[in-house]
Amino acid sequence: MNLTTTLTDTLPTLARLREQAARQAADEGAELNAQMLLATIVARYPDPTDWAEIKAETQPVVAAYPSRVIALVNDSAAAQSPDPVRVGLLSAQRSDGASAIRGELLTAALQGRAFEEGAAIAASWSASGIPTVVWWNGPAVTDDHLFEDMLDIADRILVDSSAMTDLAAEFTVLGDVVAGSHHARVTDALWLRLLAWRQAFAQAFDQPAARLDLEHVTSVELAVQQSPGGQAAALLLVGWMASRLGWRLDRRTTQGWRLKSDGQAVDVICDPSSITNGLIEMVRLSAPTSRYLAYMPSPEDIVVDCQSDLAPITHVAVRRPPPTRPRLRLDDLLTGGAHHHIFRQSVAIARTLATA
Amino acid sequence: MSMNGQALDSALGANPLREGLAFQEAPPGQTLIIFGGSGDLAARKLIPALYNLERNALLPSSLAVVGLGRRPMDDESYRARQLEATTNFSRTGKPDPELWSAFQQGLYYVRADFSTHAGYEDLKRELAEIETRHGTGGNRIFYLATQPSLFPEIIRLLGETGLNRGPGTTRIVIEKPFGRDLATAQDLNAIANDVFDESQIYRIDHYLGKETVQNVLVLRFANVIFEPVWNRRYIDSVQITVAESVGLEGRGTYYEEAGVLRDMVQNHIMQLLALVAMEPPVDFQADSIRDEKVKVLRALRHLEPDQVSSNVMRASYGAGFVDGREVPAYRDEDGVAPDSTTETYFASRFLIDNWRWKGVPFYLRSGKRLAKRASEIAIQFNEVPHLLFGDSNPDGVPPNVLAMRIQPDEGVSITFEAKQPGLGMRVRPVRMDFGYGQSFAEESPDAYERLLLDVMLGDQTLFIRRDETEAAWRAVMPILEAWEGDSVSRLPTYEAGRWGPRQAGDLLRADGFRWRRL
């Protein structure tokens, strides 16, 4: 059930739609789920996207997390439409099999300046008293007007660093945001995708004896997709390792970077890879008498082969979680920013490396 | 001198790469070794729970499960048997063929004699091979799902053959009952703690894995509106009910030895009581929570022998109708002695001697073959000190009740008074209700799914510590001792399908209360 309307008549139209649904539910003897909304989700679509596609993408999110979804769609044909807004209700099947309304979807097709000022529309349509989550969909963080405005209305902003195109500029912006210059907290989908790599290395060094090797790492070699996304993944993963192990940037090198830990050099080398089903093909940590090689034998798994006199276990494997999109789950994204300080430190080092 | 994994772990400090990852529900590789792997618990609960974890991509890909049993069987037969069991007992129904095919490759069966060193040496060899094949990281979980009488010997032999200290982490899961009285619980704990460190021991009470039980903590400590009134100044009484409509389900022999006090009260109900009555823990670490639970259990007032009969009611069910079906009396069930005096119903009044709860009665009841399956914690608040609307409501107004429904229809409701529409000032109770099923579209995981995952993650929060189980036994021992000294030849009976013996109401009536209708 959805209706088209104008920008000014959106909320009254939504109210009418809800009343209509309530009456229909009463007529059918069904129960209208009166569950309060838990969040407003503002999703940015930088390219024309139709109602059905937005609905398909947001419905699973709303099913798990009752929300009002406001989709701001950049559409150069919007000016021709007298009713650029469409509102509808989103329902989902409950665990008892019954269908229940779980949320609301409001889409606005906007063009030019109107799209750039979309935060004002989102602010006026947001449900009061609940958090606003901005889903910065599409090309990554840039120093653009809409992003700045969105930071002001958001309690949390979801970004995807793998969509970055200018790593130095965008990691600088991201670094400022996560450093706390805004009220909004950040969840990065790329950070979540790197979880399995982080988990794999953590698991390899869960062996107490192997942990001694961490103090003597001399190089980190990565094979990453030849794209800004691959580079962003490498920077964030190295940023994470460096933050955990106390490595600091010494200088840029021809193949990557030299970091230092207690005076000891750690060379980070980034090699291009032709990998297509991910961003990172392999990561190898080397110490004088040991090597830890992490790679993906299948799209679902990451394994670490440990060659060390100290590590009794030679092979550990970790399940790679499903990609964040299209199976986006808001609760994953919302809690993905937990341990924010680790993410913040990782981004700070990634930024230092990107701008070196 | 070689150091084992655990000693080296503590010498080196925490893994710096691990920080922040434990909360991502991605456990490291494991081998789960199930003693009693061909038994009922494995088939009905453990394997279906593991499969559902796999279905939700929550298991490590490097997981191997080794079922240990005495029956002769090869891996293929074991896998086929577990597929059938998972089809029958999994909450998600028939397994997806492709997913099961991948999952079952990690399932093994080892025929072993649990009572000899040789059996454990065989197991060691098998484990070394399986761990290499699956890359489990040498992490092991021993799950005791055998008859409880075998626990001490298995634990001892695990220690004697060095299996208590493996190449990675080693943990042991012990199923309830933890002993059949305080002395046997202490004996079992002594053996377990002799062989394993307490941090390796996971005493499992599946009740704590239920979503709604964990929600008791969330309700109390993630909301500011309840805790200020959560004490003797505002609460009149607490009722905890764990009612079952089922009978013995083929466990007559076990039940004859146990009775409802050992089967439900000493563990499940005492845990619920502890969660309701505990002080706020300083953090959500396992030991912080368990410290507070132990304090409450230690503060339970122990009954004197002459107080048992006036504070405790026991009975056994007679014949009756449940769900429209005629059912026999307890004494006529298979495996039950015709002159049995085992209780199938228990009701009691407990008091907690601490600042928060002094004088507030905690009424506990549990039974089999009751009117329906229902578990609930109900907090009844005091009556208003002065009734302004007495003229229109000569009988007064009922007190507020906060009810936490554990199962079924999981949720929380608050009953409060509202003005009845009309010109007068009539007051009527209304209910504000939160239902899990309505509010969350997702189905809750089975308790074993949560608990198995927690063992793999090394989180002991929902497991029972040694002192907790002993404190719970201490609280019920005066009752058991009084019953043992009692020469009754027949317990009072209640008709199956009803809410227990009429006399159970007397316990509350004397205090001006009555059992809630569920």
Side-chain angles (χ1 to χ4, degrees):
Chain A
M1 187 188 309
N2 64 78
L3 297 171
T4 53
T5 183
T6 60
L7 284 168
T8 50
D9 202 31
T10 303
L11 293 183
T13 305
L14 181 64
R16 282 200 299 278
L17 204 58
R18 271 208 164 268
E19 282 168 23
Q20 199 178 324
R23 275 198 303 276
Q24 190 178 332
D27 288 347
E28 292 168 1
E31 183 188 350
L32 179 71
N33 193 340
Q35 169 73 39
M36 289 290 291
L37 302 175
L38 298 179
T40 298
I41 301 171
V42 181
R44 163 195 181 251
Y45 285 86
D47 300 309
T49 313
D50 66 20
W51 167 269
E53 196 179 333
I54 296 171
K55 185 179 170 190
E57 196 158 47
T58 53
Q59 195 143 22
V61 179
V62 171
Y65 210 86
S67 305
R68 173 178 294 175
V69 179
I70 299 168
L72 304 175
V73 184
N74 191 11
D75 186 352
S76 58
Q80 277 100 56
S81 169
D83 298 320
V85 178
R86 187 180 284 254
V87 298
L89 300 178
L90 299 174
S91 57
Q93 209 170 38
R94 292 192 325 218
S95 56
D96 61 6
S99 179
I101 291 172
R102 302 285 296 178
E104 304 157 346
L105 175 59
L106 293 70
T107 66
L110 306 164
Q111 71 154 337
R113 185 77 198 280
F115 182 72
E116 285 301 308
E117 298 295 338
I121 295 171
S124 70
W125 289 354
S126 294
S128 53
I130 54 175
T132 296
V133 179
V134 169
W135 181 9
W136 190 257
N137 202 357
V141 187
T142 54
D143 193 10
D144 92 11
H145 181 70
L146 182 57
F147 185 72
E148 282 292 317
D149 282 355
M150 287 294 196
L151 286 172
D152 288 338
I153 67 165
D155 295 287
R156 183 171 286 276
I157 188 157
L158 317 178
V159 300
D160 186 351
S161 296
S162 69
M164 285 181 175
T165 51
D166 179 345
L167 297 182
E170 293 181 64
F171 266 119
T172 298
V173 175
L174 186 61
D176 285 343
V177 176
V178 296
S181 57
H182 291 81
H183 166 71
R185 305 253 303 197
V186 178
T187 295
D188 185 352
L190 175 59
W191 176 250
L192 298 183
R193 278 189 220 112
L194 292 176
L195 173 64
W197 290 95
R198 291 185 278 137
Q199 189 78 47
F201 277 108
Q203 187 170 317
F205 293 100
D206 274 341
Q207 312 177 65
R211 226 168 289 161
L212 291 167
D213 284 329
L214 279 178
E215 295 168 14
H216 305 289
V217 173
T218 53
S219 71
V220 182
E221 294 167 74
L222 303 99
V224 297
Q225 192 187 77
Q226 215 169 353
S227 67
Q231 287 288 319
L235 288 174
L236 212 45
L237 189 64
V238 172
W240 168 70
M241 271 184 202
S243 74
R244 299 293 83 214
L245 300 172
W247 302 340
R248 293 286 172 263
L249 176 67
D250 181 33
R251 62 185 164 84
R252 183 138 205 164
T253 63
T254 49
Q255 289 177 292
W257 302 267
R258 170 161 288 186
L259 309 182
K260 283 239 162 130
S261 165
D262 290 334
Q264 181 180 306
V266 180
D267 286 316
V268 177
I269 299 157
C270 253
D271 291 324
S273 157
S274 55
I275 184 172
T276 53
N277 61 350
L279 295 170
I280 299 178
E281 185 182 350
M282 75 90 196
V283 182
R284 179 165 38 224
L285 289 192
S286 301
T289 59
S290 60
R291 279 198 315 184
Y292 293 83
L293 174 66
Y295 60 99
M296 288 171 51
S298 76
E300 287 80 34
D301 298 299
I302 294 177
V303 301
V304 184
D305 286 332
C306 316
Q307 295 171 24
S308 168
D309 295 340
L310 297 173
I313 308 303
T314 56
H315 182 84
V316 296
V318 164
R319 170 71 55 86
R320 187 165 174 258
T324 309
R325 279 188 76 191
R327 285 184 56 196
L328 177 75
R329 284 183 47 124
L330 191 64
D331 49 351
D332 286 347
L333 287 171
L334 286 172
T335 55
H339 299 282
H340 198 70
H341 66 286
I342 298 174
F343 175 58
R344 189 176 63 231
Q345 292 163 3
S346 306
V347 169
I349 295 176
R351 170 191 184 165
T352 309
L353 299 179
T355 53
Chain B
M1 186 177 74
S2 69
M3 292 173 93
N4 66 40
Q6 259 105 2
L8 196 56
D9 200 15
S10 61
L12 282 171
N15 176 1
L17 300 181
R18 177 54 69 189
E19 189 186 354
L21 293 177
F23 296 92
Q24 305 289 355
E25 295 184 341
Q30 308 274 345
T31 306
L32 175 66
I33 303 111
I34 306 173
F35 286 86
S38 57
D40 235 28
L41 183 70
R44 284 173 179 263
K45 293 291 180 187
L46 303 183
I47 302 295
L50 288 168
Y51 168 75
N52 283 323
L53 287 171
E54 172 74 7
R55 191 170 168 266
N56 289 321
L58 290 170
L59 288 183
S61 55
S62 48
L63 176 82
V65 179
V66 180
L68 284 180
R70 287 183 170 147
R71 299 177 202 177
M73 210 180 331
D74 60 15
D75 290 341
E76 285 312 312
S77 313
Y78 187 63
R79 290 166 183 169
R81 196 183 155 97
Q82 296 307 333
L83 172 60
E84 190 185 340
T86 302
T87 305
N88 291 335
F89 300 118
S90 165
R91 69 180 170 85
T92 55
K94 191 176 178 199
D96 173 72
E98 200 179 325
L99 193 58
W100 178 266
S101 169
F103 172 71
Q104 69 159 14
Q105 286 172 18
L107 279 183
Y108 297 91
Y109 182 77
V110 175
R111 189 184 177 194
D113 183 354
F114 309 147
S115 61
T116 65
H117 277 85
Y120 292 77
E121 294 300 338
D122 289 347
L123 174 62
K124 250 191 208 174
R125 277 190 293 277
E126 294 277 355
L127 283 181
E129 197 180 311
I130 290 168
E131 283 169 350
T132 306
R133 193 178 309 148
H134 287 271
T136 63
N139 302 316
R140 295 170 183 167
I141 298 167
F142 295 104
Y143 198 116
L144 305 192
T146 61
Q147 290 170 30
S149 59
L150 299 175
F151 292 174
E153 190 175 24
I154 293 172
I155 294 168
R156 185 177 58 79
L157 285 165
L158 284 171
E160 285 177 6
T161 52
L163 279 163
N164 56 335
R165 300 273 185 266
T169 58
T170 303
R171 297 176 181 133
I172 184 163
V173 183
I174 304 177
E175 270 283 343
K176 80 168 183 76
F178 315 115
R180 55 170 285 105
D181 53 26
L182 178 60
T184 51
Q186 286 172 324
D187 288 346
L188 178 62
N189 284 334
I191 293 167
N193 285 102
D194 196 33
V195 175
F196 293 94
D197 186 81
E198 183 64 26
S199 64
Q200 296 175 275
I201 302 173
Y202 292 70
R203 295 179 191 81
I204 194 168
D205 177 344
H206 73 271
Y207 232 67
L208 289 178
K210 289 182 185 294
E211 210 85 299
T212 38
V213 172
Q214 295 159 48
N215 193 45
V216 175
L217 289 176
V218 176
L219 182 97
R220 288 192 58 194
F221 303 128
N223 297 290
V224 77
I225 58 173
F226 299 116
E227 204 50 27
V229 295
W230 208 264
N231 57 54
R232 62 190 299 272
R233 290 184 63 194
Y234 298 98
I235 292 178
D236 214 5
S237 68
V238 177
Q239 286 187 27
I240 302 178
T241 303
V242 178
E244 296 182 290
S245 60
V246 295
L248 303 181
E249 297 181 300
R251 297 193 310 153
T253 312
Y254 158 76
Y255 206 83
E256 261 296 85
E257 291 295 309
V260 70
L261 179 58
R262 289 186 175 93
D263 190 46
M264 300 294 273
V265 180
Q266 185 274 339
N267 34 68
H268 300 334
I269 292 191
M270 284 296 166
Q271 284 296 319
L272 293 180
L273 181 147
L275 292 172
V276 169
M278 67 191 261
E279 295 297 317
V282 291
D283 53 36
F284 202 63
Q285 298 299 309
D287 274 337
S288 304
I289 292 170
R290 299 191 296 181
D291 286 346
E292 298 304 336
K293 287 194 324 192
V294 169
K295 281 187 207 165
V296 171
L297 293 171
R298 286 177 53 204
L300 277 171
R301 188 184 297 177
H302 294 184
L303 296 171
E304 296 299 327
D306 62 344
Q307 295 174 321
V308 170
S309 62
S310 57
N311 285 278
V312 180
M313 169 74 211
R314 61 173 165 157
S316 74
Y317 61 81
F321 279 83
V322 174
D323 297 330
R325 192 169 52 88
E326 192 168 7
V327 297
Y330 176 69
R331 284 181 163 194
D332 296 330
E333 297 269 21
D334 287 344
V336 174
D339 57 351
S340 168
T341 55
T342 297
E343 81 288 355
T344 64
Y345 180 91
F346 172 94
S348 71
R349 170 178 38 217
F350 274 92
L351 291 168
I352 299 174
D353 288 328
N354 65 16
W355 277 57
R356 187 186 283 262
W357 296 112
K358 183 80 176 176
V360 178
F362 280 68
Y363 300 106
L364 318 179
R365 65 174 161 168
S366 182
K368 284 202 172 288
R369 287 281 189 233
L370 296 180
K372 64 176 168 184
R373 171 176 170 257
S375 300
E376 184 201 76
I377 300 164
I379 314 290
Q380 181 170 320
F381 291 89
N382 291 339
E383 291 179 4
V384 288
H386 173 61
L387 186 62
L388 293 176
F389 317 108
D391 289 348
S392 319
N393 302 273
D395 297 334
V397 295
N400 303 128
V401 175
L402 172 70
M404 293 172 264
R405 301 186 299 277
I406 309 293
Q407 63 184 19
D409 187 24
E410 295 84 350
V412 179
S413 68
I414 300 177
T415 312
F416 60 98
E417 309 311 309
K419 180 186 174 302
Q420 201 168 326
L423 297 177
M425 194 48 89
R426 295 282 298 169
V427 173
R428 201 181 72 183
V430 292
R431 204 169 80 140
M432 202 152 64
D433 197 55
F434 149 70
Y436 261 86
Q438 287 184 347
S439 297
F440 299 104
E442 294 167 62
E443 199 180 341
S444 293
D446 182 78
Y448 276 95
E449 291 171 37
R450 168 66 197 255
L451 294 172
L452 280 168
L453 192 63
D454 280 357
V455 182
M456 293 183 203
L457 289 166
D459 184 347
Q460 292 184 303
T461 307
L462 300 178
F463 296 84
I464 301 171
R465 205 169 59 189
R466 173 184 187 155
D467 49 357
E468 259 182 277
T469 186
E470 291 179 10
W473 274 118
R474 274 193 191 92
V476 301
M477 280 314 291
I479 301 171
L480 282 172
E481 284 162 2
W483 287 355
E484 273 160 21
D486 198 346
S487 58
V488 292
S489 59
R490 189 176 193 95
L491 298 183
T493 57
Y494 57 98
E495 196 178 328
R498 303 293 174 85
W499 274 113
R502 195 169 302 137
Q503 300 93 313
D506 297 343
L507 273 179
L508 282 73
R509 231 181 327 270
D511 300 337
F513 300 110
R514 63 180 181 186
W515 289 112
R516 276 170 59 79
R517 196 183 302 278
L518 300 180

